[in-house]
Amino acid sequence: MWKPGARSIRVSRCQDSACRPGATLIGTTAFIGGDYDEQSQSWVARVRRGDGTVRTLRPKHVVIATGVSGIPYVPELPGLSQFAGRTLHSSEYDDANDFAGQRVVIIGTGNSAHDVAQDLHAHGIDVTMVQRSSTTIVSVDPSAAAADASYLTAPTLEDCDLLSMATVYPDLYTGSQMITATMKELDKDLVAALNRIGFRTDYGEEDTGQQMKFMRRGGGYYLNVGCSDLLISGQVGLVQYADTAGFVAEGLSLTNGDVVEADAVILATGYQTQQEGVRALLGDEIADAVGPIWGYDDEGEVRNTWRRTAQPGLWFSSGNFQLCRIYSKVLAMQIRTELDNG
């Protein structure tokens, strides 16, 4: 939370429907844009307060902590404009009761797609998932739990965090392959059953698993809390995107001439890159100067996250609670150092 007199502000994603795409909130205040003043080495940040007035702030540092997922990615799908029903992105999904008595097609098979499908099914709604690319499937227990087993065995939380931070990329890569090999064995029956119904699975690049997928691209996997079982039993339908011909007014047309009738289409198609979020907030020049955010660089470091970027005074914090808990301290110390030396 920004306070009067502070020399840095932290921004978070806008939840106000009145905000433009990519806008962010500081408390109840919308961030509407900013520029960097080279002469004063500070930001000229413009915010719109709840009463509609615009205020200009001049912090030395801005931290964008909107997460890996920012602006929804909405692909151009053949015929979707002809579909007569409701179309929405998974980020807009709120309540299964909004779809009572309807038939829903979900595009995508990542975490969001599975979770929405499971919620709809639990409310008695007919739902079909469309798989566009292979997906890493991991059971929450025992597989995902095994990946964090060190947090149950190390003497203290601080010890676990130190081990996590001190692991260099080559060891992290090898360790991920070892953990994934264990997951393969633990989940072999689940994955085999999914493969039998035509669901395509993978184990990530060179079998490094879902955690490395998250660190590279922020998606492409599902931690099974029950939807995989619904797919296997046929309670949730499955269609391969390669078998579709495009949308028609009634639903999704298949290459064999059949139509998966639908009243609504939910696009669980992920999000644009964080760099595009910067572009929406701060313009092309700053977005291009910063470059890609998240994913590993050639040195095995997470790109432009929790460390200095090419744009002075601009920082990024992303990831799950574990990563933010650890690396927010690292980020804060760097900003504190710059403020003390500035």
Side-chain angles (χ1 to χ4, degrees):
M1 179 70 70
W2 181 84
K3 297 180 180 179
R7 289 184 288 175
S8 64
I9 59 175
R10 183 182 177 102
V11 297
S12 56
R13 193 166 43 148
C14 177
Q15 301 297 328
D16 186 343
S17 59
C19 296
R20 64 180 175 80
T24 61
L25 289 182
I26 307 171
T28 58
T29 299
F31 181 90
I32 58 176
D35 302 287
Y36 188 73
D37 184 349
E38 294 285 353
Q39 185 173 356
S40 64
Q41 294 186 332
S42 63
W43 289 93
V44 180
R46 297 174 295 279
V47 298
R48 181 181 294 114
R49 299 198 285 189
D51 61 4
T53 60
V54 175
R55 182 178 180 183
T56 299
L57 308 175
R58 296 182 180 275
K60 289 289 186 181
H61 299 270
V62 171
V63 178
I64 297 182
T66 52
V68 176
S69 302
I71 302 173
Y73 171 64
V74 179
E76 293 185 6
L77 299 177
L80 186 57
S81 61
Q82 302 175 35
F83 177 59
R86 178 186 178 190
T87 301
L88 66 156
H89 190 267
S90 58
S91 60
E92 302 172 275
Y93 178 85
D94 183 51
D95 191 339
N97 291 317
D98 295 339
F99 302 89
Q102 298 184 19
R103 298 155 298 182
V104 179
V105 167
I106 299 175
I107 306 296
T109 49
N111 270 320
S112 294
H114 280 86
D115 289 345
V116 170
Q118 187 169 354
D119 188 45
L120 290 170
H121 174 269
H123 287 77
I125 296 164
D126 183 296
V127 57
T128 298
M129 297 175 68
V130 178
Q131 185 175 33
R132 298 199 301 163
S133 58
S134 63
T135 311
T136 303
I137 303 297
V138 177
S139 62
V140 169
D141 188 10
S143 287
D148 290 323
S150 63
Y151 276 84
L152 301 176
T153 58
T156 67
L157 179 64
E158 289 73 19
D159 290 330
C160 295
D161 287 347
L162 179 60
L163 288 171
S164 176
M165 293 175 65
T167 303
V168 296
Y169 183 78
D171 291 341
L172 180 65
Y173 198 90
T174 301
S176 296
Q177 290 179 316
M178 295 172 64
I179 293 171
T180 302
T182 299
M183 290 180 173
K184 279 186 180 182
E185 183 61 28
L186 293 173
D187 291 339
K188 63 181 181 181
D189 292 339
L190 172 67
V191 172
L194 285 168
N195 293 159
R196 281 196 294 271
I197 65 167
F199 191 97
R200 294 178 292 130
T201 59
D202 63 59
Y203 294 101
E205 181 181 312
E206 294 186 355
D207 289 354
T208 51
Q210 96 284 352
Q211 185 59 31
M212 292 290 277
K213 254 193 177 184
F214 170 68
M215 296 302 297
R216 289 192 182 95
R217 51 178 283 197
Y221 59 90
Y222 170 56
L223 303 179
N224 180 36
V225 292
C227 194
S228 291
D229 308 275
L230 296 176
L231 284 164
I232 292 168
S233 64
Q235 296 178 74
V236 169
L238 174 67
V239 170
Q240 287 297 324
Y241 186 75
D243 297 329
T244 67
F247 285 93
V248 293
E250 300 79 15
L252 183 60
S253 176
L254 305 182
T255 54
N256 64 4
D258 293 341
V259 173
V260 180
E261 296 184 351
D263 302 290
V265 172
I266 298 177
L267 303 173
T269 47
Y271 297 83
Q272 297 182 37
T273 66
Q274 286 177 278
Q275 186 181 11
E276 294 310 304
V278 176
R279 197 178 305 281
L281 287 172
L282 302 172
D284 292 338
E285 184 176 348
I286 291 176
D288 292 339
V290 171
I293 304 157
W294 200 249
Y296 292 110
D297 62 18
D298 293 339
E299 296 179 341
E301 298 289 341
V302 182
R303 294 179 297 189
N304 287 311
T305 308
W306 310 303
R307 58 174 177 160
R308 290 177 180 83
T309 69
Q311 171 58 54
L314 184 60
W315 309 77
F316 297 88
S317 179
S318 299
N320 58 22
F321 286 134
Q322 176 193 16
L323 293 172
C324 288
R325 177 173 51 78
I326 295 171
Y327 288 103
S328 61
K329 301 172 186 177
V330 176
L331 189 154
M333 286 189 291
Q334 293 175 85
I335 295 176
R336 180 76 265 175
T337 298
E338 293 211 1
L339 290 173
D340 290 342
N341 294 335

